[in-house]
């Protein structure tokens, strides 16, 4: 505990509050008695509540986190160099909030909604949304059944994501986690002009400014920035900024969700948020637990991710949801969704450490990226045996569900038998067939970054793989075959692809795909 010198406090108070009544002033104002490491301790603020936004006389804002017997501990939302002992703090009487609106789309902002991209002020109507808010209750939720297509063949076929789902992306550093999230955002361009657009929020936590600028440039070049908001919590920002950045992103996503739209929020990444939260908690003298994380680090992530949901269609019921801000109450509609893609970084592929196990238990599935696969050229480097979507086929369109049902089983068999082939012993024809088919499917599932496939092209090429139409094509020519195959279908059978996109797959569709695949495969066999 800190030993406060009450004689010093008394002299400070006499100087600062000489013209005011002592008790009434202390309930609304406080005096800084200690400052450092982004934490301010204040005497006074007797009526402050945990999570309240307070303001220093310099205009810097902070959030009350600890209410002790002798003082209040405040975490600063800016650097503390302009604050010194004896400075006055005043209550605001409200929790931390962010102003949100469609004018934010296409912008890079900080956690309080201020633009930092040099493009001027945000225009259009803005509505105040709290950073912290109760998750929607069970009666306001609907089952996840509408697909959120990522444009990544591996995911849309085997680990489908639905609107309102929380799907964890987990793996070691430099294995392509951010690329999957960015590709998912890029793929939503296809739906932006439809009646079901997906508004995207990318939350960069503890990342270099150059990395954030590069991501913004990629999204701009791919035509995805006009429906995306980037929240930047740079590595040079205080730890408090890293902790509250995901809550800002969720608040923006909730605005779109509550007004009847679909939204997608990417947290990149929550392991860095947990480290920042540990730093703040240790500075606040909270008791450390496993791996020195505070006991409530699970609650930090659960209360964040539980806010993602698919909301019921009934507008009247939707208006009765928990803690709807007054600013948007009249605009609330049913049927909106908030999908979360949290990212967690592992150390040497260890998914059993504290933070990964916490987030795995909260989410509705995980996409596990493996370093060995990445370095062997399999990209995206997804390990399909541990990756899972707990929503499953209900988040796929009918045509994709029909043709990809056996793909995951086929690949699991291939992984199991592949190790035997390395011993060089003779294998029976059935085993060799499974291995050769699995190798060709791996080639089909490979994909260049920032190059999402539309769903009809995915169905066409995956059907060719699952039915083993490519068994006679050399593995090194599969990529060339795929390009020509899809080009031919887009040129000659556009109606077929349109019907696949709408979920229709019948015997005629299967016959056309088989004939085209076999016809083109003969060309690659003879070349």
């Amino acid at each position: 505990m800190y030993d406060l010198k009450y004689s010093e406090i008394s002299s400070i108070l006499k100087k600062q509050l000489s013209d005011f009544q002592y008790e009434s002033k202390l309930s609304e104002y406080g005096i800084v008695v200690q400052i450092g490491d982004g934490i301010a301790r204040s005497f006074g603020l007797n009526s402050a509540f945990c999570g309240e936004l307070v303001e220093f006389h310099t205009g810097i804002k902070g959030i009350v986190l600890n209410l002790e017997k002798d003082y209040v501990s405040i975490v600063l939302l800016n650097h503390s160099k302009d604050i010194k002992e004896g400075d006055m703090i005043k209550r605001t009487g409200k929790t931390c909030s962010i102003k949100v609106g469609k004018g934010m789309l296409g912008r890079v902002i900080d956690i309080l909604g201020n633009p930092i991209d040099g493009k001027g002020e945000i225009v259009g109507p803005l509505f105040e949304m709290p950073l912290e808010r109760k998750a929607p209750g069970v009666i306001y939720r609907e089952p996840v059944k509408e697909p959120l297509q990522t444009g990544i063949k591996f995911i849309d076929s085997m680990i489908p994501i639905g609107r309102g789902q929380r799907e964890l992306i987990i793996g070691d550093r430099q294995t392509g986690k951010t690329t999957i999230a960015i590709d998912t955002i890029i793929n939503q361009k296809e739906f932006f002009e439809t009646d079901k657009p997906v508004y995207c929020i990318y939350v960069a936590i503890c990342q270099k400014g150059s990395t954030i600028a590069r991501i913004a440039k990629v999204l701009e070049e791919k035509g995805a920035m006009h429906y995306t908001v980037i929240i930047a919590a740079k590595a040079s920002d205080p730890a408090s900024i890293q902790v509250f950045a995901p809550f800002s992103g969720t608040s923006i996503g909730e605005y779109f969700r509550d007004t009847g739209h679909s939204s997608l929020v990417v947290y990149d990444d929550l392991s860095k948020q947990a480290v920042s939260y540990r730093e703040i908690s240790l500075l606040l003298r909270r008791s450390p637990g496993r791996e020195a994380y505070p006991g409530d680090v699970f609650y930090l992530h659960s209360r964040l991710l539980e806010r993602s949901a698919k909301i019921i269609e009934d507008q009247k019921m939707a208006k009765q949801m928990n803690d709807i801000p007054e600013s948007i109450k009249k605009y609330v509609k049913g049927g909106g969704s908030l999908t979360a893609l949290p990212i967690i970084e592992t150390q040497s592929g260890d998914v059993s450490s504290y933070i990964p196990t916490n987030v795995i238990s909260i989410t509705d599935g995980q996409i596990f990226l493996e370093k060995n696969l990445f370095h062997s050229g399999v990209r995206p480097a997804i390990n399909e045996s541990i990756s899972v979507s707990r929503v499953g086929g209900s988040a796929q369109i009918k045509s994709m569900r029909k043709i990809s049902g056996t793909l995951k089983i086929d690949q699991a068999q291939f992984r199991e038998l592949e190790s035997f082939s390395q011993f060089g012993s003779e294998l029976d024809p059935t085993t060799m067939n499974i291995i050769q088919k699995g190798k060709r499917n791996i080639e089909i599932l490979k994909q260049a970054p920032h190059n999402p496939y539309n769903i009809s092209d995915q169905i066409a090429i995956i059907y060719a793989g699952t039915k083993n139409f490519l068994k006679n094509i050399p593995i090194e020519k599969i990529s060339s075959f795929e390009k020509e195959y899809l080009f031919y279908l887009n040129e000659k059978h556009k109606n077929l692809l349109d019907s696949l996109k709408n979920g229709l797959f019948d015997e005629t569709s299967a016959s056309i795909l088989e004939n085209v695949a076999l016809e083109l495969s003969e060309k690659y066999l003879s070349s």
Side-chain angles (χ1 to χ4, degrees):
M1 294 292 293
Y2 288 87
D3 184 19
L4 298 177
K5 297 180 180 178
Y6 290 99
S7 57
E8 292 180 13
I9 293 170
S10 177
S11 62
I12 292 169
L13 290 175
K14 284 178 183 177
K15 181 179 177 183
Q16 298 286 338
L17 307 175
S18 55
D19 299 330
F20 298 90
Q21 292 182 352
Y22 182 80
E23 286 298 331
S24 63
K25 197 65 183 171
L26 278 184
S27 66
E28 300 297 322
Y29 286 82
I31 301 295
V32 177
V33 293
Q34 190 179 46
I35 180 73
D37 299 316
I39 304 290
R41 289 182 170 82
S42 162
F43 185 82
L45 295 175
N46 295 342
S47 300
F49 56 86
C50 190
E52 182 177 359
L53 189 69
V54 294
E55 189 173 347
F56 294 81
H57 80 289
T58 57
I60 290 174
K61 291 182 170 63
I63 296 175
V64 175
L65 282 191
N66 271 21
L67 301 173
E68 305 287 344
K69 179 182 176 183
D70 299 320
Y71 56 82
V72 171
S73 293
I74 299 158
V75 61
L76 304 179
L77 295 178
N78 304 84
H79 289 287
S80 58
K81 59 183 179 182
D82 296 327
I83 299 172
K84 59 185 185 300
E85 290 181 14
D87 284 353
M88 187 174 285
I89 313 166
K90 67 176 181 180
R91 292 183 63 206
T92 62
K94 57 184 182 181
T95 57
C96 195
S97 61
I98 180 173
K99 292 197 178 220
V100 306
K102 286 194 174 181
M104 282 182 161
L105 297 170
R107 305 299 300 272
V108 182
I109 60 172
D110 65 14
I111 70 159
L112 296 176
N114 304 310
I116 56 174
D117 53 6
K119 296 180 181 177
E121 291 299 312
I122 293 171
V123 296
L126 295 174
F127 308 92
E128 199 155 299
M129 297 283 289
L131 260 59
E132 293 267 15
R133 184 178 161 196
K134 278 180 72 176
V138 174
I139 61 170
Y140 305 112
R141 296 173 181 251
E142 268 191 358
V144 175
K145 56 183 183 291
E146 189 179 356
L148 180 106
Q149 287 155 12
T150 64
I152 300 168
K153 292 174 281 186
F154 215 123
I155 296 173
D156 290 343
S157 60
M158 290 193 280
I159 320 158
I161 300 172
R163 296 190 183 190
Q165 189 176 345
R166 299 151 304 175
E167 184 77 8
L168 173 64
I169 302 171
I170 185 168
D172 286 6
R173 64 184 301 273
Q174 298 294 315
T175 51
K177 301 184 299 297
T178 301
T179 302
I180 285 178
I182 296 301
D183 286 359
T184 304
I185 292 174
I186 293 169
N187 195 55
Q188 305 317 308
K189 180 183 177 182
E190 183 183 347
F191 308 99
F192 186 69
E193 301 300 333
T194 67
D195 59 342
K196 291 187 175 180
V198 179
Y199 297 103
C200 303
I201 303 101
Y202 177 80
V203 185
I205 306 166
C206 201
Q207 292 192 26
K208 294 180 290 186
S210 58
T211 303
I212 299 170
R214 179 174 53 78
I215 289 169
K217 186 180 179 185
V218 168
L219 293 173
E220 193 77 56
E221 288 172 350
K222 296 292 181 179
M225 198 63 197
H226 61 281
Y227 54 82
T228 305
V229 183
I230 295 178
I231 297 179
K234 299 189 292 296
S236 58
D237 290 335
S240 56
I241 300 291
Q242 325 292 344
V243 171
F244 291 107
F247 291 95
S248 289
T250 307
S251 295
I252 297 172
E254 282 180 328
Y255 162 74
F256 291 115
R257 182 199 72 190
D258 293 347
T259 52
H261 298 99
S262 294
S263 56
L264 166 70
V265 60
V266 175
Y267 308 108
D268 191 5
D269 64 70
L270 290 188
S271 45
K272 291 192 177 75
Q273 185 208 18
V275 168
S276 297
Y277 189 65
R278 175 173 63 183
E279 178 186 331
I280 287 172
S281 297
L282 292 173
L283 288 168
L284 290 170
R285 304 292 180 186
R286 292 180 176 177
S287 299
R290 179 178 165 186
E291 296 180 26
Y293 287 104
D296 64 337
V297 72
F298 180 90
Y299 179 56
L300 172 77
H301 289 149
S302 63
R303 74 176 190 263
L304 172 72
L305 293 169
E306 276 298 309
R307 290 161 68 179
S308 300
K310 175 77 169 72
I311 301 302
I312 55 172
E313 296 282 349
D314 188 334
Q315 183 173 358
K316 190 175 179 181
M317 278 286 286
K319 282 181 178 285
Q320 299 171 21
M321 267 193 309
N322 309 323
D323 299 341
I324 294 178
E326 288 296 327
S327 60
I328 67 162
K329 211 156 199 173
K330 63 180 179 180
Y331 303 106
V332 171
K333 297 176 185 175
S337 67
L338 173 57
T339 309
L341 290 181
I343 294 174
I344 289 287
E345 185 180 298
T346 56
Q347 304 294 328
S348 303
D350 181 16
V351 295
S352 62
S353 58
Y354 191 30
I355 300 303
T357 51
N358 277 354
V359 184
I360 285 170
S361 68
I362 296 165
T363 50
D364 307 313
Q366 68 276 348
I367 297 165
F368 181 71
L369 294 119
E370 202 172 90
K371 187 174 277 186
N372 291 339
L373 287 174
F374 185 85
H375 291 314
S376 65
V378 179
R379 300 178 188 178
I382 299 171
N383 183 327
E384 70 278 354
S385 57
I386 351 179
S387 301
V388 66
S389 170
R390 296 190 183 101
V391 172
S394 56
Q396 285 177 311
I397 61 173
K398 286 182 181 178
S399 49
M400 176 61 91
R401 186 161 67 244
K402 200 167 183 179
I403 65 101
S404 65
T406 61
L407 181 58
K408 195 164 188 180
I409 297 169
D410 289 346
Q411 292 309 100
Q413 287 180 323
F414 161 66
R415 294 285 182 203
E416 193 174 341
L417 295 172
E418 188 184 23
S419 56
F420 289 106
S421 66
Q422 294 172 358
F423 295 112
S425 57
E426 288 188 16
L427 300 172
D428 62 275
T430 305
T431 302
M432 281 303 298
N433 189 42
I434 292 171
I435 291 172
Q436 292 303 319
K437 182 181 176 182
K439 286 180 177 178
R440 281 159 178 76
N441 282 343
I442 288 290
E443 291 300 313
I444 285 170
L445 294 169
K446 286 181 182 179
Q447 196 165 332
H450 314 319
N451 182 36
Y453 280 55
N454 65 55
I455 195 70
S456 53
D457 285 356
Q458 291 186 48
I459 293 167
I461 189 62
I462 288 168
Y463 181 72
T466 55
K467 292 299 179 183
N468 210 12
F469 297 148
L470 318 181
K471 60 183 177 182
N472 295 322
I473 302 177
I475 289 172
E476 64 274 9
K477 294 181 181 177
I478 294 289
S479 177
S480 301
F481 166 82
E482 180 186 344
K483 288 175 186 172
E484 186 171 352
Y485 174 67
L486 294 178
F487 178 79
Y488 185 89
L489 288 173
N490 278 279
E491 287 293 313
K492 305 290 186 182
H493 298 284
K494 190 67 178 168
N495 291 339
L496 166 64
L497 294 178
D498 289 341
S499 67
L500 293 177
K501 187 176 181 179
N502 293 325
L504 303 173
F505 187 84
D506 52 23
E507 290 181 6
T508 308
S509 306
S511 176
I512 294 171
L513 293 175
E514 180 176 356
N515 290 336
V516 172
L518 293 176
E519 184 183 328
L520 288 176
S521 64
E522 287 179 12
K523 171 185 169 183
Y524 280 83
L525 182 62
S526 59
S527 61

